[in-house]
Amino acid sequence: GPFHLPAIAFAGRRPHRGQVSARGDETLPAPKVERRLSAIMIADVAGYTRLVATDEEGAVRELARRQHEVIEPAIRARGGRIVKTSGDGFLADFADSVSAVSAALQIQSAIAACNEPLESHRRIELRIGIHTADVIVADGDIVGDGVNIAARLERLAEPGGVYVSGRVHDEAAHR
């Protein structure tokens, strides 16, 4: 269940959120922190630097359109949420592996269909990695080794592909 970080004093430094100074001054309350099992999806656009170099405004506009029309609806439809975006990628989490894999396959299929009429140098192709692990949720963000593993898996995926951990494969294969 949820747990809270204790108040900590750090001599000689200004207290941060949830800490109490050596003088006992109160600060902002500690952020709510919880640990939970999560299916973690990390995606990144393959060759984004090339796309931006060719047509920066067009690439940014097209990626935003695909995120709004394809990526976000596929994630929401399976009970997932986008935790954060960063330039040409995003981090999402789901309650289970099956939902994450299903969303990833729908995203890749829809993006491939969007790419069909485009010249190869204008195509937006995602690499997606998925891993299931315990994560720490704090202030809406997720952190932990599972996030790092999902990021490594994403880098192993082919453009347009999905790379999953053995745990995700085992869980998704039986449903």
Side-chain angles (χ1 to χ4, degrees), residues 1 28 31 112 115 130:
L28 296 171
N115 281 333
I130 303 172

Side-chain angles (χ1 to χ4, degrees), residues 11-45:
R13 291 199 350 224
R14 187 175 144 89
H16 297 287
R17 188 202 261 311
Q19 297 175 336
V20 176
S21 73
R23 294 183 313 276
D25 300 337
E26 292 189 31
T27 61
L28 296 171
K32 183 181 177 207
V33 176
E34 90 181 73
R35 184 178 288 275
R36 72 165 184 242
L37 185 65
S38 184
I40 306 145
M41 174 192 290
I42 293 189
D44 189 60
V45 176

Side-chain angles (χ1 to χ4, degrees), residues 41 43 66 70-75 78 90 94 100-113 126 128:
M41 174 192 290
R66 298 222 185 151
V70 174
I71 296 166
E72 291 170 3
I75 290 170
R78 283 155 187 84
F90 66 87
F94 296 81
V101 170
S102 177
L105 294 174
Q106 181 185 349
I107 288 166
Q108 293 294 42
S109 175
I111 287 181
L126 292 181
I128 298 176

Side-chain angles (χ1 to χ4, degrees), residues 80-169:
R81 72 179 178 107
I82 293 183
V83 176
K84 62 183 163 189
T85 60
S86 59
D88 65 329
F90 66 87
L91 166 65
D93 72 341
F94 296 81
D96 61 85
S97 297
V98 174
S99 298
V101 170
S102 177
L105 294 174
Q106 181 185 349
I107 288 166
Q108 293 294 42
S109 175
I111 287 181
C114 292
N115 281 333
E116 266 184 40
L118 300 177
E119 301 165 30
S120 62
H121 69 277
R122 301 203 49 199
R123 292 181 177 177
I124 291 178
E125 294 180 303
L126 292 181
R127 291 187 311 252
I128 298 176
I130 303 172
H131 180 60
T132 297
D134 276 329
V135 295
I136 295 172
V137 183
D139 283 341
D141 197 1
I142 61 173
V143 294
D145 288 341
V147 175
N148 298 332
I149 292 168
R152 288 187 196 115
L153 295 171
E154 174 268 314
R155 288 191 291 275
L156 294 172
E158 295 291 324
V162 178
Y163 206 99
V164 302
S165 65
R167 179 175 184 172
V168 170
H169 177 269

